[in-house]
Amino acid sequence: MPAHIFQLNCSAGGVPKLAVREAELTPTGLVGDQQRKLDIHGGPDRALCLYSLERIMTLQAEGHPIFPGSIGENITIAGLDWAVLKLGSRLQLGPDVLIELTSYTVPCNTIRESFHNDRFKRISQKTHPGDSRYYARVLQTGHLVTGQPVRLLPAGEPSGR
């Protein structure tokens, strides 16, 4: 199956973020999602947090009790080769939304319950390159629905249309 939005996740602040079927995306994130510590979460360059379903499944196979949304990602993506992503990569989500990866998400102890023996640094880019979540900025807003396609745009392509 091609890459797609496996799950959209929102919360009133904190984790886990819970699944929603659809959500409107604004320049500052998903409508209905809030962050508690705006000095380290949120804002235009951290409007979305993304993670890979396949990475979650690998972590589960290692014995971690992680599940989609438990580590605070807004969008859980399935079928996308996480290894080819890099800072500056652009993704088209559904027919309208365009985002750009801005930074790796540094794991903090609020997600420790998703990891055996509180090993939340298991998804640190510094210690486990390629297993990190990503923050992204919104370049083009729109309506997102679970199951919509996700497409990695070739470098230099300005939009997915």
Side-chain angles (χ1 to χ4, degrees):
M1 177 177 228
H4 64 281
I5 297 172
F6 176 79
Q7 190 167 295
L8 298 167
N9 308 298
C10 294
S11 78
V15 293
K17 292 189 181 288
L18 303 177
V20 296
R21 185 184 180 293
E22 56 189 305
E24 199 65 32
L25 179 62
T26 72
T28 57
L30 294 177
V31 172
D33 185 58
Q34 298 176 4
Q35 296 81 33
R36 288 190 183 147
K37 297 181 179 180
L38 295 177
D39 56 327
I40 56 173
H41 302 291
D45 286 337
R46 298 178 298 216
L48 286 175
C49 181
L50 310 169
Y51 205 47
S52 161
L53 177 63
E54 290 79 11
R55 291 290 195 261
I56 290 171
M57 293 169 64
T58 296
L59 292 165
Q60 288 173 338
E62 292 175 9
H64 300 289
I66 187 173
F67 57 90
S70 73
I71 57 170
E73 80 275 13
N74 299 111
I75 302 177
T76 310
I77 298 173
L80 183 65
D81 184 356
W82 214 244
V84 302
L85 296 179
K86 60 184 180 205
L87 299 181
S89 292
R90 290 183 174 195
L91 299 174
Q92 181 179 344
L93 308 175
D96 300 318
V97 171
L98 182 64
I99 63 171
E100 181 178 59
L101 304 182
T102 55
S103 63
Y104 301 108
T105 307
V106 177
C108 69
N109 67 1
T110 60
I111 63 168
R112 69 185 173 278
E113 291 182 13
S114 291
F115 295 89
H116 182 65
N117 291 330
D118 295 339
R119 290 186 47 231
F120 60 91
K121 292 190 179 183
R122 172 62 184 80
I123 60 169
S124 168
Q125 182 65 18
K126 288 182 181 180
T127 58
H128 293 90
D131 285 342
S132 177
R133 296 165 293 167
Y134 282 97
Y135 274 133
R137 75 171 53 98
V138 178
L139 302 176
Q140 191 169 305
T141 62
H143 191 76
L144 294 174
V145 179
T146 300
Q148 285 180 319
V150 173
R151 186 167 75 97
L152 174 63
L153 300 178
E157 185 175 332
S159 73
R161 297 181 178 196

